[in-house]
Amino acid sequence: MEVVIGTIAGILTSVSMIPQLIKVLKEKEVENLSWMMIAVLLTGVSLWVVYGIMREEWPIIISNAFSVMVNITLLIAYFLYKEK
Amino acid sequence: MEVVIGTIAGILTSVSMIPQLIKVLKEKEVENLSWMMIAVLLTGVSLWVVYGIMREEWPIIISNAFSVMVNITLLIAYFLYKEK
């Protein structure tokens, strides 16, 4: 039961930024988004990947590596659309 | 070393939504924010609290309970300012 709840929790926190990324890519507007939120989150999930590698815990590595990619894309999109 | 990196990673992912919350409370505009991102994240961190309680892991409980509060405030602010 713990494993099920932990897995669902992990999937949800990992995919949570996807709706935001889709919205940004669709509307090309980032006016009310905080780049610092994205930057702090990106640093955090990157360190989780390092932690996962150190402990060889694959669920931590995979879910956070996925978050790293989503947040890098979001940060690039942010600065791309912010310029306009 | 692992504990240090894990702790910093946990703190960063926990506090990452604070800059976004401050920005929303200051500017009272949520046009480009995805409510689904907040809702998915809130569900995820809530389940992490449940997981932490089940396993009696206090660092998981405390950091995610903190995220729950930040995200509830952000979601309330979202629907409050979305109305305008």
Side-chain angles (χ1 to χ4, degrees):
Chain A
M1 188 59 182
E2 289 167 14
V3 179
V4 177
I5 296 206
T7 305
I8 298 172
I11 291 172
L12 289 178
T13 46
S14 297
V15 303
S16 63
M17 276 294 155
I18 293 179
Q20 183 64 65
L21 179 61
I22 291 172
K23 188 176 166 75
V24 166
L25 293 179
K26 210 155 56 180
E27 300 176 357
K28 305 187 197 315
E29 278 182 22
V30 294
E31 201 59 39
N32 315 129
L33 258 189
S34 162
W35 71 268
M36 208 195 286
M37 174 265 283
I38 308 169
V40 173
L41 189 57
L42 180 57
T43 312
V45 290
S46 301
L47 285 180
W48 275 126
V49 173
V50 174
Y51 176 86
I53 291 169
M54 280 172 146
R55 296 189 45 133
E56 293 186 30
E57 286 192 45
W58 285 98
I60 294 180
I61 299 173
I62 292 165
S63 59
N64 286 287
F66 178 78
S67 296
V68 167
M69 286 188 297
V70 173
N71 281 291
I72 285 180
T73 315
L74 190 57
L75 200 59
I76 292 172
Y78 178 91
F79 287 108
L80 208 68
Y81 300 138
K82 190 71 182 175
E83 288 300 297
K84 295 187 179 173
Chain B
M1 188 61 182
E2 289 168 15
V3 178
V4 176
I5 296 206
T7 304
I8 298 173
I11 291 172
L12 289 179
T13 46
S14 296
V15 303
S16 63
M17 276 294 157
I18 294 179
Q20 183 64 64
L21 179 60
I22 291 172
K23 188 177 168 75
V24 165
L25 293 179
K26 212 154 54 179
E27 300 177 357
K28 305 187 197 314
E29 277 182 24
V30 294
E31 200 61 38
N32 315 127
L33 259 188
S34 161
W35 71 267
M36 208 195 285
M37 174 264 284
I38 308 169
V40 172
L41 188 57
L42 179 57
T43 312
V45 291
S46 301
L47 285 179
W48 275 126
V49 173
V50 174
Y51 176 87
I53 291 170
M54 281 172 146
R55 296 190 45 135
E56 293 186 30
E57 286 193 45
W58 286 99
I60 293 181
I61 299 172
I62 292 166
S63 60
N64 286 287
F66 178 78
S67 296
V68 166
M69 286 188 297
V70 173
N71 281 291
I72 285 178
T73 315
L74 190 57
L75 200 60
I76 292 172
Y78 179 91
F79 286 107
L80 210 67
Y81 300 138
K82 189 70 183 176
E83 288 301 295
K84 296 187 180 173

